Amino acid sequence: ALNMGGAKLFRATTLDTFATFLRRIGIVDRVHEEAMDEVRQTGQRVLQTWRSTFENHQVPARLTAQIERHQADLPLAKEVVN
């Protein structure tokens, strides 16, 4: 299993997980902040793509709501939305 910054499960992944991973592989200083900004932006794009996909494919509202509730409980999703 992938172990990125100490997290093996995606649902346990946070921004700190990415920061730990970047430190572990030697990315520090300015490049570290740029990488973290990219993580945040990518996370926001992923969530928006899901929303657009639901709309474009006319996914039933009940299923969309269930998936969005699941996403909202993911620590990383909470962090990239704020």
Side-chain angles (χ1 to χ4, degrees), residues 3 13 17 29 32-33 35 37 39 41-42 44 47-48 53-54 62-63 67 70-71 74 77 79-80 82:
N3 181 339
T13 302
T17 305
D29 301 328
H32 179 270
E33 284 308 311
D37 286 343
V39 168
Q41 292 171 17
T42 300
Q44 291 167 356
L47 293 173
Q48 183 55 48
T53 300
F54 296 154
R62 190 183 64 140
L63 179 56
I67 293 169
H70 171 73
Q71 290 173 336
L74 296 173
E79 293 173 325
V80 301
N82 295 328

Side-chain angles (χ1 to χ4, degrees), residues 9-63:
L9 301 174
F10 182 75
R11 68 176 175 258
T13 302
T14 66
L15 289 175
D16 285 340
T17 305
F18 281 93
T20 299
F21 175 72
L22 294 172
R23 280 192 302 275
R24 190 178 288 171
I25 64 173
I27 296 178
V28 294
D29 301 328
R30 184 181 62 83
V31 175
H32 179 270
E33 284 308 311
E34 290 174 6
M36 291 302 294
D37 286 343
E38 189 61 37
V39 168
R40 288 181 194 94
Q41 292 171 17
T42 300
Q44 291 167 356
R45 284 193 306 269
V46 166
L47 293 173
Q48 183 55 48
T49 298
W50 271 104
R51 286 184 208 103
S52 298
T53 300
F54 296 154
E55 293 169 10
N56 293 340
H57 294 282
Q58 301 174 348
V59 174
R62 190 183 64 140
L63 179 56

